[in-house]
Amino acid sequence: MTNEKIQYNNGHRHKSKNNNHKIYIGIITTLLLAVGMFIALVIYSNTLQRSFQSEIISSLKESANQSVAILQNKIAGKIDLLMEISDRISTLPIKDYQKTVDGLDDTCARYHFKRMGIILPNGDAYSTDQQFMNLSDRSYFKNAMQGISTISDTLIDRIGGESINVYSTPIYEDNHIVGVLFATYASNDLRNLLAVPTFEGEGYLYLVNREGTCIIDSSHPKSYKNMKNLFDSMLTLDSNNKDEVATLREHLQKGQEGYIKFNNHGYRYMYYAPLGVNDWNVITVISADVLEKKMNQVMYKTYSLSASLLAIFIMTLGYILITQRKNRQIIMDIAYVDPLTGGYSYAKFQKEFPAVLADVTRKAAILNLDIDDFKFINDAFGYREGDNLIRYIWNILSTWVEKDELYAHQSADVFVALVFYDEEEKLRERLDDLCEQLQHYYIRHNNKVRIVPAIGIHEIMNKTQSQDSFIDAARLARKTVKGKMDIFYAFYDEAIKESIYHDKEIEATMQDALNNHEFIVYYQPKYNADTQQIEGAEALVRWQKKDGTLVPPNDFIPLFERNGFITAVDSYVFKSVCRFQRSLMDQGITPVPISVNLSRMHIYDLDFIEKYTTYMEQLQIPISYIQLEITESAISDNQALLLDVLNRLHQLGFLILLDDFGTGYSSMLMLKNLSIDVLKIDKSFVDNIGDHRGNKIIDGIISLSQSLDISITAEGVEQQSQYEYLKMRGCNHIQGYYFAKPMAEAAFKKLL
């Protein structure tokens, strides 16, 4: 009995010790898990706070950059306007200053200037509101007399005491500054630009210089009142802002952008970014409460949830692990699925590339593909149609690629593909088939647009190189066929690399060349075939660098057509021709019509029509003195758009010439659809005069044009036999070395 009892007690003590041990282990485990969860919560909270902080700053930066872009465009537009008016004034006698200024009344009203005027070199000013004053002490006058076009800091108007900003630009005569054109702009108008609501009306903006001096203040109720200097206002309101002011002052002095968090009746975020005009900076301010409200809500929910999770941490821990696993899968899907096409993203392509390339023993090549003028398709038909085109390309690629090959949408209209082949000839056959499939696309089921692909191919010889180097090489090859219209793909080689570098060198200097007037207009006369009298000319552009060297047109014209800079050069030539015609009229010389070129880029930017006609109206140039030339390649792009352009130009009275006829890809049937006034036979056909087939082609072109009442001009006529043949067949005008080579402005004026 006694032994049994003792045995029981010992067993009970054993069980109690075991239970206590388990309890201790459970408590310790719970505490460790709790501590672990707490640490995890702290880490998670800090990470979340940093993420929200980054989002806050990103939102501020985006708002500031939008404001910078708006102000830059507004200021640049006003300065460009003054420079154009200055160019016009420089061609007119301006001795009667007040009369010249009175002619600016309409411009002043149209662009909401308070006044416009001319300042003489001694500072005496004549203005549209008949106010006479001396402005020799104004910095904008001094800058303009040094050849600098600018906008002034905020000034007090000497007439009326209003806050103003003044645009100014020099007036040149024979490359000498003879005065200053200025336009006074009420500062309140700039303030209104900055008053665009941001962050649901809680944000506001300032414009200050690098010294913190206020250029434009804010009328927002939470902004500094009567602010003269941003640094002073921040320190006056709260001296604890001194560190933030020091940081802000240093960054503004260095022209840097960034942000600070400071106190102004509560904490606020301030983002500052240089405007790129004078030493001005755009300051964007928003209450920290507004931006951190979402963060605080999330953090509060996080803490509340975490408190509950601590009570049931085991279940919660499992739930979190499962949720994280699902979230990781979602993130993987987001990273590896292209949202527009639904197929591989570029990130997925990069991930799969090494393994796919390593597993295949056949020859491999990287393709880099995009579409010529995709931006203009977006502009002309909308981004929805642009997206449809990208999906169309994706569908073509999906049926074109073979087993084990990779393809992906990289960005915008750019696609990449990894393909395999045994012989280069077979690869070329596949590329021809791809280009053929891509060249048919319909917008809204009835509007056919010619799709011009550009494909660069890099054959992979060394698989150990990085895939970025492969893709870069293919991209360089693609750039060589951009804008060529008849060549759709190119294989990368060292010659392409050198060509790209050459193009980059030209692109690096082209804007400076335009600004420095290195582009020179030459004139090639056009002669009446019957009377041999000069009846017109074609304006040709030449690039003569400051050191006197000439850049051949074939080196820069095709490049400018590809990168879009050709529109700026065309506009430059157009204005130069208009000024030349105006100078002839002023000297009593009767001008002949001069044709200027329109690139195919103009089809997508109808604003050029208003710009051209406005400039001609300003110089009082009759429409008959300017003719417009388009090339056949422009017609082959998009006839529907071009037809609308031609109709508008004809309604204004312009004469339209079709250049390089027969060298493009459209048939003669296009002549019945497009209202062309003059057809220019390309030199390549003229060179074949004397050959039986060549004569037949010339006869056919002339006969067709005559039946459509289209005048004929022959280009590149160099021999008397060519001239006699063309004259006998009824050609209207002759252009070529037989009569005259292209010549500089002075020589052409002498010829007239």
Side-chain angles (χ1 to χ4, degrees):
M1 190 81 166
T2 304
N3 290 337
E4 290 178 0
K5 186 174 181 179
I6 293 173
Q7 190 176 6
Y8 171 79
N9 289 336
N10 287 337
H12 181 73
R13 267 197 303 271
H14 255 311
K15 187 180 290 186
S16 296
K17 288 181 179 179
N18 289 336
N19 287 339
N20 290 336
H21 182 67
K22 290 180 179 179
I23 291 172
Y24 294 147
I25 292 176
I27 293 174
I28 293 173
T29 302
T30 301
L31 290 174
L32 289 174
L33 287 173
V35 170
M37 287 191 65
F38 178 77
I39 294 173
L41 177 61
V42 171
I43 295 173
Y44 174 72
S45 299
N46 291 335
T47 302
L48 194 60
Q49 285 179 332
R50 286 194 296 270
S51 176
F52 272 106
Q53 182 84 2
S54 176
E55 182 180 342
I56 289 170
I57 302 309
S58 177
S59 299
L60 271 173
K61 180 177 182 179
E62 180 180 355
S63 176
N65 288 338
Q66 288 175 353
S67 301
V68 166
I70 291 172
L71 284 171
Q72 284 179 337
N73 290 337
K74 187 76 172 179
I75 292 172
K78 291 288 192 297
I79 290 177
D80 287 346
L81 171 67
L82 257 65
M83 292 175 70
E84 287 191 14
I85 296 173
S86 173
D87 287 344
R88 173 164 54 90
I89 291 175
S90 67
T91 64
L92 302 173
I94 59 170
K95 290 184 178 180
D96 187 350
Y97 299 106
Q98 191 58 57
K99 182 178 179 181
T100 303
V101 169
D102 290 343
L104 300 175
D105 283 339
D106 290 343
T107 302
C108 187
R110 185 186 309 171
Y111 292 96
H112 307 292
F113 292 128
K114 184 175 181 182
R115 73 173 65 87
M116 295 182 68
I118 295 175
I119 310 173
L120 304 185
N122 63 0
D124 290 343
Y126 296 82
S127 65
T128 52
D129 55 359
Q130 310 299 317
Q131 299 290 341
F132 180 82
M133 63 193 86
N134 188 284
L135 301 175
S136 59
D137 61 327
R138 292 296 202 187
S139 59
Y140 61 83
F141 165 72
K142 297 175 182 178
N143 288 335
M145 289 301 294
Q146 295 297 319
I148 301 172
S149 300
T150 186
I151 178 176
S152 73
D153 288 346
T154 300
L155 305 171
I156 301 301
D157 194 353
R158 291 175 178 170
I159 310 298
E162 182 184 7
S163 294
I164 58 171
N165 300 91
V166 182
Y167 295 89
S168 61
T169 191
I171 302 173
Y172 290 92
E173 182 177 307
D174 296 330
N175 294 324
H176 295 291
I177 298 175
V178 296
V180 174
L181 176 68
F182 74 95
T184 300
Y185 197 66
S187 299
N188 196 51
D189 291 340
L190 278 179
R191 181 179 293 105
N192 290 338
L193 284 177
L194 294 175
V196 176
T198 58
F199 300 100
E200 300 180 354
E202 293 294 331
Y204 53 92
L205 298 96
Y206 302 123
L207 196 61
V208 303
N209 65 17
R210 65 165 59 101
E211 302 298 333
T213 302
C214 179
I215 306 299
I216 299 296
D217 60 3
S218 172
S219 58
H220 194 278
K222 295 182 180 180
S223 64
Y224 291 125
K225 304 305 176 186
N226 302 316
M227 186 180 77
K228 302 299 181 183
N229 183 282
L230 178 59
F231 305 148
D232 294 342
S233 295
M234 292 175 66
L235 291 174
T236 299
L237 188 67
D238 192 335
S239 60
N240 292 325
N241 288 328
K242 60 182 180 180
D243 291 339
E244 288 74 16
V245 169
T247 299
L248 177 61
R249 188 191 304 272
E250 178 185 358
H251 286 183
L252 294 190
Q253 287 288 340
K254 294 180 178 179
Q256 297 176 346
E257 65 176 292
Y259 76 96
I260 59 172
K261 187 176 181 181
F262 70 104
N263 191 25
N264 176 11
H265 299 297
Y267 282 107
R268 301 180 185 278
Y269 284 97
M270 174 188 293
Y271 197 94
Y272 43 90
L275 180 59
V277 175
N278 299 335
D279 61 346
W280 295 358
N281 297 268
V282 173
I283 307 294
T284 305
V285 183
I286 182 64
S287 172
D289 292 340
V290 173
L291 292 178
E292 294 176 353
K293 180 178 179 181
K294 180 180 179 181
M295 180 181 73
N296 293 334
Q297 290 175 346
V298 173
M299 294 304 299
Y300 174 77
K301 292 178 181 179
T302 301
Y303 291 137
S304 299
L305 179 62
S306 298
S308 301
L309 291 178
L310 285 173
I312 51 173
F313 69 90
I314 296 177
M315 293 177 59
T316 303
L317 183 60
Y319 173 77
I320 289 175
L321 292 174
I322 294 173
T323 302
Q324 286 179 339
R325 190 177 300 112
K326 290 181 178 179
N327 287 340
R328 281 196 298 269
Q329 185 60 49
I330 292 173
I331 292 172
M332 294 291 285
D333 290 342
I334 293 174
Y336 292 153
V337 177
D338 182 71
L340 186 55
T341 65
Y344 271 7
S345 68
Y346 184 55
K348 180 66 171 176
F349 178 90
Q350 291 176 302
K351 183 177 185 296
E352 298 293 332
F353 180 93
V356 173
L357 181 62
D359 289 344
V360 177
T361 58
R362 300 169 65 195
K363 295 179 181 178
I366 280 286
L367 271 61
N368 192 264
L369 178 153
D370 76 348
I371 298 299
D372 275 0
D373 299 334
F374 178 74
K375 175 183 182 297
F376 299 112
I377 292 175
N378 269 338
D379 293 343
F381 301 106
Y383 286 96
R384 178 176 296 179
E385 294 299 343
D387 291 345
N388 289 339
L389 174 56
I390 290 173
R391 283 187 281 266
Y392 168 80
I393 299 170
W394 173 266
N395 290 332
I396 295 295
L397 284 173
S398 65
T399 60
W400 179 80
V401 296
E402 297 177 348
K403 183 181 179 182
D404 296 330
E405 293 181 340
L406 285 176
Y407 66 106
H409 175 216
Q410 184 176 12
S411 63
D413 62 323
V414 180
F415 291 80
V416 292
L418 173 63
V419 299
F420 305 104
Y421 62 99
D422 297 314
E423 300 176 0
E424 185 178 306
E425 185 61 31
K426 294 294 184 182
L427 176 59
R428 289 182 180 272
E429 291 177 2
R430 289 187 64 194
L431 291 170
D432 290 336
D433 175 62
L434 174 61
C435 294
E436 174 65 26
Q437 293 186 57
L438 288 173
Q439 290 183 78
H440 301 281
Y441 183 66
Y442 292 83
I443 292 179
R444 303 186 185 94
H445 307 293
N446 59 8
N447 192 346
K448 183 178 179 182
V449 175
R450 182 178 180 227
I451 300 303
V452 182
I455 306 175
I457 307 100
H458 175 59
E459 298 172 285
I460 298 175
M461 302 300 179
N462 182 1
K463 293 184 178 182
T464 62
Q465 293 181 350
S466 69
Q467 58 177 290
D468 288 341
S469 66
F470 299 149
I471 294 174
D472 285 343
R475 178 179 55 81
L476 290 176
R478 169 172 61 83
K479 288 184 176 293
T480 64
V481 296
K482 292 288 287 181
K484 289 193 175 180
M485 311 306 293
D486 58 339
I487 301 175
F488 304 130
Y489 60 84
F491 286 77
Y492 175 82
D493 56 24
E494 287 302 315
I496 283 179
K497 184 176 181 180
E498 292 177 4
S499 175
I500 292 294
Y501 287 156
H502 178 262
D503 288 348
K504 289 296 183 183
E505 289 177 355
I506 291 180
E507 288 181 324
T509 60
M510 63 187 186
Q511 186 61 56
D512 287 341
L514 186 65
N515 295 339
N516 296 331
H517 305 286
E518 293 181 11
F519 293 104
I520 302 172
V521 179
Y522 271 58
Y523 299 86
Q524 182 159 30
K526 302 174 188 176
Y527 287 83
N528 185 292
D530 293 325
T531 67
Q532 298 191 20
Q533 296 296 313
I534 182 171
E535 291 188 351
E538 178 183 359
L540 305 171
V541 65
R542 299 289 185 265
W543 184 352
Q544 183 174 2
K545 293 188 174 182
K546 290 299 184 181
D547 60 5
T549 59
L550 286 172
V551 181
N554 287 339
D555 275 11
F556 66 90
I557 294 295
L559 173 61
F560 290 175
E561 289 176 343
R562 293 196 299 271
N563 64 23
F565 193 66
I566 191 66
T567 56
V569 175
D570 283 350
S571 178
Y572 176 89
V573 172
F574 167 79
K575 292 181 178 180
S576 298
V577 171
C578 286
R579 290 194 295 269
F580 175 64
Q581 296 286 57
R582 180 70 257 174
S583 69
L584 292 177
M585 295 165 62
D586 291 341
Q587 297 172 49
I589 301 174
T590 302
V592 295
I594 298 177
S595 61
V596 297
N597 288 298
L598 288 181
S599 73
R600 59 192 179 90
M601 299 295 185
H602 286 96
I603 300 174
Y604 302 96
D605 181 16
L606 298 185
D607 288 344
F608 88 90
I609 297 177
E610 182 179 356
K611 293 176 182 177
Y612 276 24
T613 53
T614 298
Y615 194 78
M616 292 180 68
E617 290 170 1
Q618 290 173 352
L619 296 186
Q620 298 181 354
I621 305 295
I623 290 289
S624 61
Y625 286 170
I626 301 292
Q627 300 174 350
L628 301 175
E629 289 197 21
I630 60 171
T631 61
E632 188 177 341
S633 61
I635 295 177
S636 64
D637 278 355
N638 286 296
Q639 290 192 25
L641 290 176
L642 182 62
L643 181 60
D644 179 49
V645 174
L646 296 185
N647 288 337
R648 293 178 61 179
L649 291 173
H650 270 128
Q651 290 172 4
L652 293 169
F654 283 105
L655 207 65
I656 307 300
L657 291 71
L658 176 59
D659 195 13
D660 298 336
F661 180 76
T663 62
Y665 317 98
S666 52
S667 70
M668 288 186 177
L669 292 177
M670 69 180 179
L671 295 179
K672 74 179 181 67
N673 299 322
L674 299 174
S675 50
I676 302 297
D677 301 297
V678 179
L679 186 148
K680 301 183 72 176
I681 302 177
D682 188 72
K683 183 180 185 298
S684 59
F685 293 108
V686 174
D687 288 343
N688 289 323
I689 291 177
D691 174 79
H692 178 70
R693 285 180 174 271
N695 291 351
K696 288 291 185 183
I697 293 174
I698 289 285
D699 294 348
I701 294 174
I702 293 177
S703 176
L704 175 63
S705 300
Q706 289 173 340
S707 68
L708 296 174
D709 294 325
I710 297 176
S711 179
I712 295 290
T713 297
E715 296 182 291
V717 178
E718 298 178 352
Q719 303 172 12
Q720 183 173 355
S721 59
Q722 295 172 339
Y723 162 65
E724 295 292 346
Y725 186 88
L726 291 164
K727 176 184 176 183
M728 181 177 62
R729 290 299 188 271
C731 182
N732 303 101
H733 291 92
I734 302 296
Q735 181 180 342
Y737 285 13
Y738 178 71
F739 281 109
K741 296 181 179 181
M743 59 189 68
E745 183 178 289
F748 183 63
K749 177 181 176 182
K750 183 178 180 181
L751 180 66
L752 290 180

